[in-house]
């Protein structure tokens, strides 16, 4: 299977070698935001050609194919439709064009005005492993974020304008746009609307922009919170050929209140889902996501859910699941 | 699934907590051979009641059920049929009786006069991971081991005598005897015969001793070197209800020359095998075995193949495989 595990470090670490050893040959990258000079001087933005090509070379030297960029230049003014959005649009265009020149085929972005949300980042999961969760109640007193409230209609309008602008650029550059669902997939949080939170919303997006460069980052957990029949939803978007990238993790709960759990603790039909991917010729890229942090986990990063040991376990699990699905479909006879 | 991972440490380590976190609730233990007193004085043997009950309590305090003992008092004189075997038999009897008193249900032993063999312990596998292998050629100049040569007929005779003695004790104690196949499953090494190296040999053992306490530790890799239809062999022994314990790992090669590889690199029909276990109501105990050692692996033990990171990966894989097999048989609807 093709796993493109996310690399968030600014230079190669022992974890990168470990990933190669356990069978990961592709990478999901972020933008190289760190300063190349300790005087904090840089002559190019992280999405400019030089920055991005240096970054890609570093990842290739470490043995990975750079398959996805899961990051973006600032887009808050684009999402909110505020003055200054033109410059932000230019930067996104540059990123896509440079990805095209560098043959990085997939861009993962989202349309959340307030980002992905967790309100608990020190929960204790199985065996005391550190994990994260979300509870809408925790935010009931929280005022709107910096840029204020926004409604669904405006979010849709701005997303349509964005795609009208960026899709032709992506098509020319041969870069696939893979929108990530809202996490959590609520209708509104802190007075801020969310729109990419139902199966219907993704259908609408695909129908309105039928380009084969307009697709989805299929986040297993978030979609599992939107439907009672995840396997059919996977099949639906695979039939439309609009799944470009998969995030695989498990949560327990509902979209208003959930906890991240170990990948083997979920109750979804993972095997049937995996069979759908293979039946439709989709072998990846997959990556694991939000794994609990184990005792003594050697590199707990600033972002919860991205430690080393937890990911080794989840990657092994995903490989076992995929192998079983492939064998059930006639491989390894 | 029921995983009884082997614990070879003399006291609880962070790895034990990690095992609990990734979902391992049972343990395969060894005998507590370390000295309880730094003057190297001990009033009991490791297989005596006090030693074994202290050991079991320690494992239970760490949160595991002690399901298997994969270790034995010295048995070389029993296997060779030499003077002194009576005392060794007494000690094995004590072990089994004490396991019975302590409700440790499975004993894993083997009948190799010269133990399990690897001739390469610093091979480089995928991504440079450290792994081990066997090559019969490496031993062609090697003289017989300390106790000398032995032939098949003698090994069979001594095994029969052993089982005649020990099986009634195991039945009384309610302890299942799970013989491990010869590793590698060659006919002879260094002038020393091996007998538990074919499917027919296990059939013979089961037929001659039809007790439901006389069974097998099904080592996936070793049996894969004995047959071209591993799934049928698994089914065969499950139908006879004689698989008590499973070791799961992968090798590439043949019985004369092979390398241990990552669990996802094997070419066996793992999914169908796992389905057989579930179809026959066998949920465990399983354990992983001989995993490659990853870069920076936090605890490489003296025995090759038992490091921490490699095992976290393999346990995840096994869980994913088992989950897929269970779902394919109607679980997780």
């Amino acid at each position: 299977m093709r796993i493109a595990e996310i690399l968030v470090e600014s230079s190669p670490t022992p974890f990168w070698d470990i990933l190669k050893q356990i069978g990961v040959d592709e990478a999901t990258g972020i933008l190289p935001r760190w300063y190349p000079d300790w005087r904090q001087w840089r002559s190019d933005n992280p999405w400019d050609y030089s920055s991005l090509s240096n970054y890609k070379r570093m990842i290739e030297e470490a043995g990975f194919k750079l398959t996805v960029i899961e990051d973006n230049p600032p887009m808050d003014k684009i999402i909110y439709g505020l003055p200054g959005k033109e410059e932000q649009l230019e930067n996104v265009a540059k990123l896509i064009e440079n990805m095209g020149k560098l043959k990085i085929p997939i861009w993962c972005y989202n349309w959340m005005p307030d980002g992905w949300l967790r309100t608990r980042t020190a929960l204790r999961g199985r065996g005391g492993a550190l994990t994260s969760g979300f509870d809408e109640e925790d935010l009931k007193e929280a005022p709107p974020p910096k840029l204020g409230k926004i409604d669904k209609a405006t979010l849709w309008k701005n997303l349509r304008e964005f795609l009208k602008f960026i899709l032709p650029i992506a098509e020319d550059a041969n870069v696939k746009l893979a929108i990530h669902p809202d996490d959590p997939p609520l209708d509104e949080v802190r007075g801020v609307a969310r729109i990419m939170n139902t199966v219907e919303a993704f259908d609408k997006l695909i129908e309105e922009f039928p380009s084969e460069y307009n697709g989805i980052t299929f986040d297993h957990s978030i979609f599992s919170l939107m439907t009672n029949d995840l396997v059919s939803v996977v099949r639906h978007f695979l039939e439309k050929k609009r799944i470009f990238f998969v995030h695989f993790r498990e949560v327990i709960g509902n979209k208003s209140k959930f906890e991240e759990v170990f990948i083997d603790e979920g109750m979804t039909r993972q095997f049937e889902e995996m069979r759908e991917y293979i039946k439709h010729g989709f072998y990846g890229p997959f990556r694991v996501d939000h794994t609990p942090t184990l005792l003594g986990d050697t590199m707990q990063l600033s972002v919860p859910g991205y430690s080393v040991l937890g990911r080794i376990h989840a990657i092994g699990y995903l490989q076992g699941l995929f192998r079983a699905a492939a064998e059930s479909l006639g491989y390894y006879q």
Side-chain angles (χ1 to χ4, degrees), chain A residues 75 78-79 109-113 155 158-159 162 179 182 195:
Chain A
M75 288 173 55
I78 304 174
I79 293 172
Y109 72 107
N110 68 67
W111 206 255
M112 291 178 270
L155 280 176
N158 295 343
L159 177 54
F162 175 69
I179 193 169
D182 298 335
I195 56 173

Side-chain angles (χ1 to χ4, degrees), chain A residues 57-96:
Chain A
R57 251 190 311 275
M58 175 182 75
I59 293 201
E60 283 176 348
E61 294 286 350
F64 299 96
K65 179 175 187 298
L66 180 57
T67 301
V68 184
I69 295 290
E70 185 172 334
D71 194 354
N72 45 266
M75 288 173 55
D76 50 348
K77 290 168 185 167
I78 304 174
I79 293 172
Y80 271 87
L82 296 176
K85 71 177 180 181
E86 292 73 15
E87 188 193 339
Q88 291 191 345
L89 282 168
E90 275 311 303
N91 288 334
V92 175
K94 267 188 211 158
L95 169 64
I96 301 299

Side-chain angles (χ1 to χ4, degrees), chain A residues 37-50:
Chain A
D37 181 315
W38 55 81
R39 281 157 291 244
Q40 302 212 2
W41 182 85
R42 75 185 312 155
S43 49
D44 295 281
N45 284 315
W47 46 87
D48 284 338
Y49 185 85
S50 300

